Amino acid sequence: MLRYPSLRAPLDVLFLICCIVLSADVLGPEIFGNGKTKDYPLWFWAGQQVLHGGNLYPSDPRAYFEFIYPPLSAVLLAIPSYFGKIPLYTCLSLLNAAAWWIAAQLSNAMTGSGRNPEPWLAALPAIVTVTFVFDMFDLGQPNLVLLAMMMLGFWWLQLGHPWASGSMFALATAIKVFPVAVLPYLVWRRHWASAASMVVFLGIFLFVVPAPVRGFQHNVAELKTWYEGMVGSSSEQGFGQRGEQNWSWINQSIIAVTHRLTRPVNYNQDDPAKAPAYMNLVDLDFKTANLVVIGISIAIGLAFIAVMPPRSRRTPRSDAEELGILFCLMTVASPLARQYYFIWLLFPLTVLLHRAAYDTRPLARRGTWAVLAVAALLVSLSLPFFPNDLQAFGNNLIATAAIAGGLAWHMLNPPPDGKASSLFASSDAPKS
């Protein structure tokens, strides 16, 4: 169960100190310096556009978008923006702090290990992903908040509240689209009520909630422009308004790494001052490279389905491992997966750490620690003193694959004392 931080627990105090320091990184420049940079001024601008009835996007979908998120995001930002920049930035910092605590708490509660972890083990996933958390505060990105929303959605699904879970999945998708990848999983696992709730609430969040503020026709027109500019645009130069990032080393998605390996794209294109650099092993055209991406995606999807146990063999352990793989796949399936996207590895890492600590088989524990060590080494290649060329080959993508592989092994090789009692036994999925 969730609990509040305690001033009597040293690790909780450390968490609060970290949140204060990270919030100071946000508020300090705004209060005492020349103003906070990164995405924060953009969020204030978007909120002000809503408050003053301005347009969020240019009329031409092919023009450059300053704001690349759906209109609901701007409507939500407008509320604290009404009071000024400092209240907005404070609100975003508090949201990130709360999301960090909630995601860490739920991650430990949903591992299926049946154990209350020691304080050091409970805190370890948050410690090893702290660089991603720093990015959330420093950049002002919502991925940590989205992770907490998705964790809450699956927690409510476990508790037998499918409509509440679907509403949370829908809210995350309406803020930043890539969590929509959870919908096929809900359908495959026959969580019908949760899937239906997600579709219904997605319509509400995209069309109904902004309408009183933006006007129904205005909101629909902006949604259309956003869709054409963000989702419906794709070419050799890039996709979704940020062509200079799409094929560069910054992007570690399956799509980007596959294109860099299969066709001659300059992975330094995000910085015109750098000399062009290429890493392709073959020389395919854009259409053929996309077919390779589709083939790889289908293969990964089929492999995921293959390792999923049937309902009769599902256990709390296997459900946790299955969800861990799902979070890995949702992270790298996003067309744009920058460094901070990999905060979503918090839950898969927590599951693997519980297996490494509590699996009854010594060899399985040692193997799991080895997988975690490999993943940590790969992720560390993103630190500033390593060349960007290493990241161009997808160090975070490979680390995610290693974590997903470790989870898949545990799902296929449960310990002999495992019990077939699914975490989702109370969900709306019918028995097979």
Side-chain angles (χ1 to χ4, degrees), residues 349 352 370-380 395-396 398-400 402-403:
L349 278 172
L352 269 190
V371 170
L372 289 166
V374 170
L377 178 62
L378 288 166
V379 171
S380 69
N395 63 305
N396 286 338
I398 300 171
T400 304
I403 293 169

Side-chain angles (χ1 to χ4, degrees), residues 31-50:
I31 298 173
F32 304 107
N34 297 322
K36 179 60 179 172
T37 57
K38 309 297 172 64
D39 289 327
Y40 284 94
L42 176 61
W43 304 151
F44 181 73
W45 174 87
Q48 291 294 310
Q49 289 297 101
V50 171

Side-chain angles (χ1 to χ4, degrees), residues 383-401:
L383 293 172
F385 42 82
F386 287 107
N388 296 337
D389 306 74
L390 295 176
Q391 296 182 59
F393 283 91
N395 63 305
N396 286 338
L397 175 62
I398 300 171
T400 304

Side-chain angles (χ1 to χ4, degrees), residues 139-414:
L139 298 173
Q141 279 291 320
N143 290 55
L144 181 54
V145 175
L146 300 181
L147 171 62
M149 289 178 179
M150 300 299 287
M151 295 297 299
L152 277 170
F154 280 109
W155 179 252
W156 286 337
L157 188 58
Q158 292 179 11
L159 295 179
H161 305 301
W163 280 87
S165 73
S167 69
M168 196 55 62
F169 299 146
L171 180 58
T173 302
I175 292 173
K176 196 168 184 176
V177 180
F178 77 95
V180 73
V182 75
L183 184 58
Y185 172 81
L186 295 175
V187 172
W188 181 262
R189 274 306 190 187
R190 294 183 288 178
H191 296 299
W192 303 120
S194 184
S197 171
M198 181 177 176
V199 173
V200 170
F201 276 99
L202 188 57
I204 291 172
F205 290 136
L206 291 178
F207 293 97
V208 178
V209 173
V213 181
R214 305 293 285 163
F216 184 78
Q217 293 298 333
H218 188 190
N219 180 62
V220 170
E222 286 196 321
L223 269 175
K224 180 181 178 182
T225 301
W226 171 84
Y227 180 86
E228 292 177 354
M230 287 297 301
V231 181
S233 62
S234 178
S235 69
E236 293 188 35
Q237 284 68 48
F239 50 85
Q241 289 288 321
R242 297 297 184 262
E244 73 281 359
Q245 299 178 11
N246 293 158
W247 310 129
S248 78
W249 64 271
I250 293 174
N251 189 358
Q252 299 226 354
S253 69
I254 294 173
I255 295 174
V257 174
T258 301
H259 273 266
R260 290 200 294 267
L261 289 171
T262 58
R263 66 188 187 96
V265 291
N266 172 24
Y267 63 77
N268 281 335
Q269 61 184 252
D270 63 296
D271 187 353
K274 291 183 179 179
Y278 305 89
M279 52 178 277
N280 56 301
L281 303 177
V282 293
D283 189 354
L284 303 179
D285 57 45
F286 177 70
K287 182 178 180 180
T288 305
N290 279 335
L291 292 176
V292 174
V293 171
I294 293 172
I296 292 173
S297 301
I298 291 174
I300 292 173
L302 292 176
F304 185 32
I305 291 172
V307 300
M308 286 184 184
R311 185 172 179 81
S312 60
R313 292 196 293 107
R314 290 173 67 182
T315 67
R317 288 177 58 98
S318 71
D319 280 341
E321 290 146 7
E322 186 175 300
L323 288 184
I325 296 173
L326 177 66
F327 275 68
C328 289
L329 296 183
M330 285 194 291
T331 302
V332 297
S334 173
L336 181 61
R338 299 189 62 168
Q339 172 78 2
Y340 55 80
Y341 274 62
F342 293 87
I343 185 58
W344 276 40
L345 296 181
L346 176 67
F347 175 59
L349 278 172
T350 304
V351 176
L352 269 190
L353 282 166
H354 275 243
R355 301 297 177 267
Y358 298 130
D359 196 292
T360 56
R361 300 160 294 180
L363 187 59
R365 291 199 302 271
R366 289 195 293 270
T368 305
W369 281 118
V371 170
L372 289 166
V374 170
L377 178 62
L378 288 166
V379 171
S380 69
L381 297 178
S382 296
L383 293 172
F385 42 82
F386 287 107
N388 296 337
D389 306 74
L390 295 176
Q391 296 182 59
F393 283 91
N395 63 305
N396 286 338
L397 175 62
I398 300 171
T400 304
I403 293 169
L407 292 169
W409 185 91
H410 277 280
M411 194 156 48
L412 293 172
N413 299 274

Side-chain angles (χ1 to χ4, degrees), residues 98-143:
W100 192 13
W101 179 260
I102 291 170
Q105 290 276 297
L106 288 178
S107 292
N108 279 292
M110 295 171 62
T111 61
S113 64
R115 300 281 295 269
N116 289 323
E118 290 80 0
W120 70 268
L121 182 63
L124 189 56
I127 293 172
V128 299
T129 57
V130 71
T131 57
F132 300 135
V133 176
F134 170 78
D135 284 342
M136 296 298 100
F137 280 85
D138 186 50
L139 298 173
Q141 279 291 320
N143 290 55

